[in-house]
Amino acid sequence: MAKIEEYVPIVGQSIIDDLRLLAEKLKGKVIQNINSTSVGGGVAEILNRLIPLLRELGVDGRWDLIKGGEQFFGVTKKFHNALHGRPAEISERDFDVFMDTSLKNVEEVNIYGDIVFVHDPQPIVLIKKKAANKWIWRCHVDVSNPDKRVWDFLRGFIVNYDAAVFSAPAFSQHLPIRQFLISPSIDPLSDKNKELPEELIDAVLAKYNVPKDKPIVTQISRFDRLKDPLGVIEAYRQVKKYVDCRLVLAGGTAADDPEGIKVLEEVKEKADKDSDIHILLLPQNDIEVNALQRASDVVVQKSLKEGFGLTVAEALWKAKPVVASNVGGIPLQIKHKYSGLLCHSAEGAAFAIKQILNSPEYAKKLGENGHEHIKSNFLLTRHLRDYMLLFLSLDYQEDVIHL
Ligand code: UDP
């Protein structure tokens, strides 16, 4: 894994010096992160890089997981969908299942942090163990329009935290605790984002039998309805009438997402054996994701809802033209017609993809602007700084803010 000094050529010495100064002030504090999965999805992706770098800077960052069975993750998936405003039938029994597992975790998870940093709703009930330490709830999902019943239920726990962190301004909520806006980030030196030799990119395409004879349009996402893979196929079909191309729909399933296999089946059915649609069930392999993004002529992220949308940042960092929905954190990353193209429908996505495939110069400019925008705003070093400032600010929080 890359060391902190290796970021100097990318972001400059002064940014790294600032990180060292902040880290110095956090010496002696234990920062305990808690979430529900160590692989799959954006949260695990970020923690896997942030924690080692915090530690290298001398901050005692640690990471623990809660435990849960199939039923529990079935319910938290329903919560996730409901928070995103999608109708979900949640019964009283679902809330009981959630509480049963949560209370087991309250008993079993060892809390030792001076600062306990809880990610997403799955471990939220752990706040029952709050003592003299500081607790932060980090919300990675789009809660701009949450189902009221689920939000009110979670809110009962959130209000006991010292602070809440959201990824985009539109997600902030009426809460009697301090709220911070911190966007996620990508690591330019991770296997997911580092430069790759052309031969390696070709080898990954060959492994998945994707020929390079036509432009490649790609969406890489968990097979999840909110990522709208069926909408991507619709957009591709409209593009295909005018520009010959291939569609790569690639993704794995996260350990805490029981719906994935079902969605994958629906995608296969919709693709209807079109040999130019490549549906790839990926193993957890960052180099392969990196290679597929780099091999693409257009990267699509047609989500119906999105927390931040790391895949967008990853593609823009690779200077790819991106077509993505105007939801969640995506408009923070894409300024329409400057650092990518935003869309609101399958038709809109198709129009934008066609435009990019037909105008290579324009496509190149969008990608270059996107790269610069990510470099200035969404790299891991900025994220580390924001988190350290947040941890430090907790010591200066005596007044409760009433909104
Ligand atoms: N990802 C991956 N393999 C896959 C699908 C996704 O490694 O098969 C990664 C993707 O590159 C990104 C993260 O998982 O880093 C997904 O984060 P995002 O914010 O886009 O969506 P989430 O899954 O958190 O809703």
Side-chain angles (χ1 to χ4, degrees):
M1 271 190 192
K3 298 275 176 221
I4 202 80
E5 277 305 312
E6 292 175 58
Y7 293 83
V8 172
I10 300 171
V11 297
Q13 185 67 49
S14 63
I15 300 263
I16 304 301
D17 290 345
D18 285 352
L19 293 181
R20 290 195 192 287
L21 269 176
L22 290 171
E24 188 63 37
K25 299 201 183 306
L26 282 163
K27 284 241 161 77
K29 281 196 197 300
V30 176
I31 319 286
Q32 181 180 11
N33 290 268
I34 304 176
N35 81 323
S36 62
T37 174
S38 61
V39 287
V43 181
E45 173 79 18
I46 291 170
L47 289 179
N48 268 312
R49 289 303 298 137
L50 270 179
I51 307 247
L53 286 174
L54 268 181
R55 296 185 68 85
E56 196 199 327
L57 286 165
V59 180
D60 193 352
R62 306 198 204 171
W63 183 3
D64 291 287
L65 299 176
I66 56 156
K67 291 202 190 100
E70 210 174 303
Q71 275 198 331
F72 175 74
F73 288 126
V75 173
T76 58
K77 181 69 191 181
K78 284 189 190 175
F79 280 10
H80 184 84
N81 288 339
L83 289 175
H84 275 128
R86 256 189 61 190
E89 276 181 26
I90 300 171
S91 62
E92 280 310 312
R93 186 172 143 64
D94 288 334
F95 285 105
D96 291 345
V97 166
F98 179 78
M99 283 311 293
D100 282 352
T101 303
S102 294
L103 292 176
K104 252 191 225 125
N105 280 304
V106 168
E107 261 173 45
E108 286 169 14
V109 176
N110 182 19
I111 299 290
Y112 49 80
D114 298 297
I115 294 172
V116 185
F117 202 6
V118 172
H119 298 263
D120 278 343
Q122 298 91 335
I124 204 165
V125 179
L126 290 179
I127 188 68
K128 284 186 179 291
K129 294 191 105 160
K130 186 170 184 341
N133 47 5
K134 299 286 184 189
W135 285 65
I136 309 166
W137 185 60
R138 196 341 170 183
C139 179
H140 293 268
V141 298
D142 177 345
V143 284
S144 49
N145 183 25
D147 173 90
K148 191 168 167 353
R149 195 156 143 250
V150 172
W151 177 255
D152 286 349
F153 173 74
L154 295 177
R155 195 179 186 280
F157 300 101
I158 297 166
V159 294
N160 295 316
Y161 283 75
D162 294 287
V165 182
F166 297 92
S167 293
F171 306 164
S172 69
Q173 293 286 335
H174 280 275
L175 288 171
I177 59 172
R178 289 170 88 189
Q179 295 185 52
F180 293 80
L181 165 65
I182 300 181
S183 306
S185 62
I186 60 162
D187 180 357
L189 297 177
S190 65
D191 284 351
K192 178 78 58 73
N193 296 306
K194 68 185 184 189
E195 302 261 349
L196 294 180
E198 211 51 46
E199 310 82 70
L200 201 156
I201 298 172
D202 288 347
V204 172
L205 286 182
K207 173 179 170 187
Y208 289 107
N209 298 316
V210 183
K212 289 205 312 182
D213 54 346
K214 302 172 189 176
I216 297 174
V217 179
T218 303
Q219 174 162 299
I220 299 182
S221 276
R222 291 178 294 103
F223 285 98
D224 180 319
R225 289 200 181 86
L226 292 175
K227 307 290 184 185
D228 199 19
L230 301 181
V232 178
I233 295 180
E234 268 168 46
Y236 152 84
R237 292 225 159 98
Q238 292 178 30
V239 172
K240 185 89 169 167
K241 288 187 209 152
Y242 305 93
V243 191
D244 198 11
C245 58
R246 293 184 179 279
L247 174 64
V248 172
L249 278 174
T253 57
D256 58 356
D257 179 5
E259 243 179 23
I261 299 298
K262 233 167 52 198
V263 176
L264 180 63
E265 288 311 315
E266 290 169 17
V267 168
K268 282 185 181 155
E269 200 181 310
K270 175 119 180 163
D272 196 22
K273 302 205 170 65
D274 178 337
S275 59
D276 286 350
I277 300 182
H278 303 266
I279 300 165
L280 315 180
L281 190 56
L282 295 182
Q284 194 63 41
N285 183 323
D286 287 350
I287 299 265
E288 287 190 0
V289 171
N290 187 345
L292 289 171
Q293 287 168 332
R294 288 185 189 276
S296 305
D297 294 278
V298 187
V299 172
V300 178
Q301 190 59 56
K302 213 205 137 309
S303 305
L304 302 173
K305 290 277 179 173
E306 193 57 79
F308 177 71
L310 282 175
T311 49
V312 171
E314 290 160 7
L316 292 176
W317 175 249
K318 291 159 188 125
K320 293 294 161 184
V322 175
V323 172
S325 306
N326 190 5
V327 295
I330 291 176
L332 297 176
Q333 305 179 60
I334 295 185
K335 300 293 161 223
H336 186 50
K337 297 185 181 173
Y338 177 75
S339 55
L341 297 177
L342 293 172
C343 62
H344 301 85
S345 62
E347 292 72 34
F351 184 79
I353 295 168
K354 265 188 294 183
Q355 202 180 5
I356 285 175
L357 292 178
N358 284 330
S359 346
E361 277 309 309
Y362 183 49
K364 186 158 173 270
K365 195 72 207 151
L366 291 177
E368 285 168 2
N369 291 343
H371 174 81
E372 283 308 311
H373 185 57
I374 297 301
K375 182 169 158 178
S376 307
N377 298 288
F378 299 112
L379 295 187
L380 191 64
T381 38
R382 191 272 310 150
H383 203 175
L384 270 170
R385 186 200 59 201
D386 285 356
Y387 273 174
M388 287 197 282
L389 283 168
L390 162 67
F391 302 150
L392 287 169
S393 78
L394 293 178
D395 283 339
Y396 301 95
Q397 177 192 359
E398 293 312 323
D399 301 327
V400 172
I401 299 170
H402 292 284
L403 294 172

